[in-house]
Amino acid sequence: MTVVIAFLANILVALAKTVAAVITSSASMVAEAAHSWADAGNEVFLLIADRRGARTKDARHPLGYGRSAFVWSLIAAFGIFTAGSIVSIMHGVQELSDTGPVESPAVAYTVLGIAFVLEGASFTQAMVKSRRLAKERGSSTWDYVLETSDTTLRAVFFEDMAALIGLGIAAGAIALHQITGVAAWDAVGSILVGILLGVVAIILIGRNIAFLVGSNASPSLRDRVGRALLSSEQIQRVTYLHIEYVGPNRLFIVAEVDLTGDAREHDVARSLRAIEQQIEQHPVVETVVLSLSVDDEASLDFGTPS
């Protein structure tokens, strides 16, 4: 739903900015129009990411299709960089020597104001969701958005935040053009919007690459999983624990555990499988693999719940 709201908002805003760019001949408005069209196109990739990543695992993909969400989100991030950042910077550089005035600035301000309301509504929705999830995990909103495996939520959050900042830059550039009579300010606004988009794109690209190459879970999540394992009456201690994201909010867990008692090998195998099946009932767990610990291996410490 977050992506759908962002997509509809970006389509409306892109249309309005394009009309305003034609009427005003403003470089900053052209940059903002390119920004919104790039965002709208990227939402399509994010919708594909959600759909592809939600497919259930099968024989060919025993860990599911979750990583495809990171692939499509990575493509969307490259879209921001190419269609948004590079286009805006190049157009701004080309317009630096232009001495023509911004025509009908009232049109530009009106469109920017409407765009701010629409983008603000989309950002508020993403912010509320991010803040709620961050609170549930005992994290700050900013840290949660940066670290979360929910790649579409992070993309929408950063795109909308960049959109609001970009609108402020564009309005300021047009105002400085009017006040000083120096047309270069409008071109500088376009360049600054492009740099802003480049920074956002690099952040999103980096986070998606991290998850694609195998990003480990945070220490807090590792501790929660470890304590959950130890809460089982059948597990006495944990000596090895590996947690990896295989999709947005999808975990692959490998652990070595020491079971209570001294059951026969056949019974131990059944116990391990029963524990695995129990853990896999959790909505964020894709697959669990448990094996037995060696006697002389040290137990892991997962702290105490805060």
Side-chain angles (χ1 to χ4, degrees):
M1 189 62 182
T2 303
V3 180
V4 174
I5 292 174
F7 174 72
L8 294 175
N10 279 320
I11 286 293
L12 293 175
V13 169
L15 289 170
K17 287 179 180 177
T18 300
V19 173
V22 173
I23 294 175
T24 63
S25 300
S26 166
S28 294
M29 286 305 302
V30 171
E32 278 298 302
H35 179 180
S36 292
W37 282 117
D39 282 353
N42 292 337
E43 307 305 338
V44 175
F45 289 122
L46 295 178
L47 288 170
I48 295 173
D50 278 347
R51 182 176 293 272
R52 294 289 180 88
R55 289 184 294 176
T56 57
K57 59 186 177 182
D58 53 33
R60 295 187 61 186
H61 296 83
L63 296 181
Y65 291 81
R67 283 197 175 101
S68 63
F70 300 138
V71 173
W72 286 99
S73 297
L74 181 63
I75 294 173
F78 274 113
I80 296 175
F81 189 79
T82 55
S85 177
I86 294 177
V87 169
S88 297
I89 292 174
M90 290 181 61
H91 182 72
V93 171
Q94 292 171 355
E95 294 295 318
L96 278 174
S97 60
D98 185 15
T99 58
V102 173
E103 301 175 9
S104 304
V107 174
Y109 292 133
T110 300
V111 170
L112 291 175
I114 294 173
F116 193 89
V117 172
L118 292 174
E119 296 283 8
S122 178
F123 180 70
T124 298
Q125 201 266 350
M127 172 63 83
V128 169
K129 182 177 181 180
S130 300
R131 184 173 294 173
R132 173 175 56 81
L133 293 173
K135 186 176 180 181
E136 291 176 359
R137 289 157 177 77
S139 171
S140 69
T141 302
W142 182 256
D143 287 341
Y144 172 78
V145 172
L146 279 176
E147 299 298 328
T148 182
S149 61
D150 189 342
T151 183
T152 55
L153 176 61
R154 177 171 44 250
V156 171
F157 183 96
F158 273 100
E159 285 178 10
D160 288 345
M161 181 179 68
L164 292 174
I165 296 173
L167 290 169
I169 292 174
I174 294 173
L176 285 172
H177 184 172
Q178 284 186 278
I179 294 171
T180 64
V182 178
W185 281 115
D186 189 29
V188 169
S190 178
I191 295 172
L192 291 177
V193 169
I195 293 173
L196 172 67
L197 293 178
V199 171
V200 169
I202 290 171
I203 292 173
L204 295 179
I205 289 170
R207 294 307 299 147
N208 282 298
I209 289 177
F211 282 107
L212 278 171
V213 299
S215 177
N216 286 332
S218 65
S220 62
L221 176 58
R222 179 179 178 275
D223 288 344
R224 291 200 302 271
V225 172
R227 289 194 293 266
L229 288 171
L230 291 173
S231 68
S232 172
E233 295 180 355
Q234 296 176 281
I235 297 179
Q236 184 174 353
R237 63 195 187 101
V238 179
T239 60
Y240 174 82
L241 179 60
H242 172 77
I243 307 169
E244 185 176 333
Y245 285 103
V246 292
N249 299 316
R250 304 298 296 173
L251 297 176
F252 172 49
I253 301 173
V254 179
E256 292 180 3
V257 300
D258 187 6
L259 298 182
T260 56
D262 191 20
R264 295 176 302 173
E265 181 179 350
H266 176 74
D267 294 331
V268 168
R270 286 187 176 276
S271 295
L272 286 176
R273 188 64 195 121
I275 297 172
E276 290 173 348
Q277 291 173 340
Q278 181 181 2
I279 297 173
E280 287 173 355
Q281 296 302 311
H282 196 285
V284 304
V285 177
E286 189 69 54
T287 301
V288 179
V289 178
L290 300 179
S291 60
L292 293 177
S293 302
V294 178
D295 291 341
D296 59 355
E297 289 181 330
S299 301
L300 298 180
D301 181 20
F302 302 107
T304 56
S306 57

